[in-house]
Amino acid sequence: MLGRMTTRDPQASQLARLAGLVADETRAACLLALLDGRAWTAGELARHAGVAASTLSEHLGKLVAGGLLAEERQGRHRYVRLADARVAQLVEDLAAQVGPGTDRRPRNLRESSAGSAMARGRTCYDHLAGRLGIAVTDALTSRGLLRQDTGFALTDAGLGWFDAVGIPLDRAGRRPLARACLDWTERRPHLAGVAGAALCRHALEVGWCVRIGSERAVKVTPSGERAFGELLGVDAGALR
């Protein structure tokens, strides 16, 4: 008697292809680097990943064809960036499952300092992460501006706070206004979504935070310490 035939879920092959795109160390390194939200040239990514430009080009072609990266050309240069916020969420969620490289110690003081800076404060695609992101998220929650008990959601007071500070929120798109993003160094959720992106963009534009180094690390400026303290009651020590 023949065994009963089963119908394979059509999403299975798509999921397998997606997993295959990420299941390569060079491609994974590129995706993590691009979490800074900026466009990188192929040469920059090749140096970051420690591979030849020709090798990197083949990997980028697969990521672009698979919909994880978007490609732009400007003159002789080829730029790539994460395709959208959903891809960034996927990469950050996967990174959170493995933690901040606990299997390997920093090779030198520079690497140790860079790791400390990333843990202290960084951008996660387009929102704040690390201890900085957690401190801001906790402050919003303790002041009744953000709810975490039934998923992340801005309260009416929270919407009013963003308006009062002068941070416009785009509510016309499909992206959630507030979303929890698991922080891979703090192992707790920080604020993402439209509100998280708007707050991060504002902090960088007005100089509350500045980028440091060549990766995603950011630090809070003295004016940022004052602003976060006055607007959210965040202690300056939590931002350093």
Side-chain angles (χ1 to χ4, degrees):
M1 181 176 178
L2 294 175
R4 186 169 56 186
M5 299 295 291
T6 59
T7 302
R8 178 175 295 178
D9 189 330
Q11 286 188 309
S13 61
Q14 297 174 3
L15 181 58
R17 283 196 295 270
L18 175 61
L21 285 174
V22 181
D24 177 273
E25 189 170 350
T26 297
R27 293 196 289 273
C30 292
L31 292 170
L32 288 170
L34 291 167
L35 274 176
D36 68 357
R38 295 177 287 187
W40 288 46
T41 67
E44 290 169 336
L45 283 172
R47 289 190 291 274
H48 176 80
V51 298
S54 57
T55 300
L56 196 280
S57 180
E58 181 179 347
H59 286 299
L60 292 184
K62 292 180 179 179
L63 291 171
V64 171
L68 296 183
L69 298 186
E71 182 181 27
E72 302 171 8
R73 290 191 179 272
Q74 188 171 5
R76 296 181 302 165
H77 295 292
R78 177 192 189 190
Y79 291 88
V80 292
R81 65 172 71 245
L82 295 181
D84 52 36
R86 290 177 299 174
V87 174
Q89 178 183 343
L90 170 66
V91 175
E92 185 73 9
D93 287 347
L94 288 173
Q97 301 305 311
V98 297
T102 54
D103 293 336
R104 183 178 64 84
R105 292 184 178 181
R107 292 172 295 183
N108 49 49
L109 180 60
R110 180 178 180 181
E111 190 173 279
S112 177
S113 298
S116 296
M118 288 279 282
R120 182 169 57 249
R122 66 183 181 277
T123 55
C124 171
Y125 187 55
D126 60 1
H127 54 271
L128 298 173
R131 293 197 298 273
L132 168 60
I134 294 297
V136 171
T137 300
D138 285 349
L140 288 166
T141 304
S142 65
R143 291 191 163 225
L145 309 178
L146 175 71
R147 294 189 61 177
Q148 297 191 38
D149 53 346
T150 55
F152 271 36
L154 291 180
T155 64
D156 289 340
L159 293 172
W161 182 87
F162 276 86
D163 287 338
V165 176
I167 304 177
L169 299 177
D170 181 9
R171 308 183 202 184
R174 298 175 59 185
R175 190 178 185 185
L177 196 58
R179 180 182 67 79
C181 180
L182 181 61
D183 197 290
W184 59 264
T185 52
E186 297 300 301
R187 318 301 286 179
R188 296 175 53 206
H190 57 245
L191 176 64
V194 171
L199 180 56
C200 177
R201 182 170 56 251
H202 182 79
L204 290 169
E205 287 176 350
V206 301
W208 293 353
C209 298
V210 293
R211 294 186 183 274
I212 56 175
S214 59
E215 297 194 26
R216 294 186 282 146
V218 299
K219 69 175 181 180
V220 181
T221 64
S223 65
E225 290 184 359
R226 290 192 296 271
F228 285 123
E230 293 171 0
L231 296 171
L232 289 172
V234 180
D235 182 76
L239 304 174
R240 298 173 183 170

